[in-house]
Amino acid sequence: MRSADESATWPVAATVVLHRPARRAAVGNLEEEPPQFDAEVLRAMARWPDVPECYGWLGLDARGQWRIKGESITHPGAVDFLGRNYASDDRGNWYVQNGPQKAYVDLAYTPWVYRFEPHAGFKTHNGREAGPINALWLDDEGAVLVDAQPGIGVLDDRDMASLAEYIDDSSVPLQFRWSRLILDFCPL
């Protein structure tokens, strides 16, 4: 359990009261900067501008694991490529720009999956820093949703134990423990 005098090393933008949003797919962060694709991808896009879009092949599960036709993608180079070329379109649909082709991603839950490490804070499934945490929610099935700069995402369930260490006394109602969690992370 974290002591009251320990300070966190990552910024938090706001305090929050526990909410229970309905479980549904989330759209992207429509205010983010245009995607920065790999140079090879940009060259392929310029060379073959009219390649049809691809649907139903690529997926992202609730633990941030890429899947192709349901099978895990484990090759480190492929995983890095997918993460670097992952973006959303102007309608909030998520895709990977795979050379000249957009491969739309079937999301298991949210477009971002966050990992939590006590001394490093939150990062996305593709290694992007989460930046300030705007809010944390608990959904109706017990998943933690994180609202951060990249956009809404679900916390990888394997990191629940690490995050739980930051939740204070279990005799306090959950709503207030989560509020305290956020307050503990706010720099003064």
Side-chain angles (χ1 to χ4, degrees), residues 4-5 10 12 19 37 50-51 54 60 67 74 80 85 88 90 93-94 125 135 149 155 158 176 182:
D5 53 33
W10 57 91
V12 173
H19 298 280
F37 299 124
D50 297 321
V51 174
C54 174
L60 183 68
R67 298 186 171 276
T74 58
D80 289 345
N85 295 288
S88 64
D90 58 354
N93 298 306
W94 289 83
H125 63 276
Q149 189 281 323
L155 179 68
R158 295 170 292 189
F176 298 109
I182 300 300

Side-chain angles (χ1 to χ4, degrees), residues 48-114:
W48 299 289
D50 297 321
V51 174
E53 298 163 338
C54 174
Y55 298 88
W57 284 82
L58 190 60
L60 183 68
D61 72 18
R63 288 186 163 179
Q65 177 72 51
W66 293 104
R67 298 186 171 276
I68 190 160
K69 294 303 274 179
E71 297 294 322
S72 292
I73 299 172
T74 58
H75 187 281
V79 170
D80 289 345
F81 175 86
L82 294 170
R84 288 191 314 271
N85 295 288
Y86 182 56
S88 64
D89 64 19
D90 58 354
R91 298 177 315 244
N93 298 306
W94 289 83
Y95 66 94
V96 169
Q97 189 67 48
N98 183 21
Q101 185 174 55
K102 281 185 181 175
Y104 281 92
V105 179
D106 292 332
L107 302 173
Y109 194 178
T110 60
W112 298 105
V113 177
Y114 288 98

Side-chain angles (χ1 to χ4, degrees), residues 16-50:
V16 68
V17 175
L18 180 67
H19 298 280
R20 294 183 181 271
R23 192 181 228 331
R24 64 178 179 83
V27 298
N29 183 350
L30 300 179
E31 298 175 10
E32 69 179 39
E33 298 175 15
Q36 300 295 315
F37 299 124
D38 290 355
E40 306 85 39
V41 168
L42 295 173
R43 284 193 299 272
M45 291 168 63
R47 187 169 178 190
W48 299 289
D50 297 321

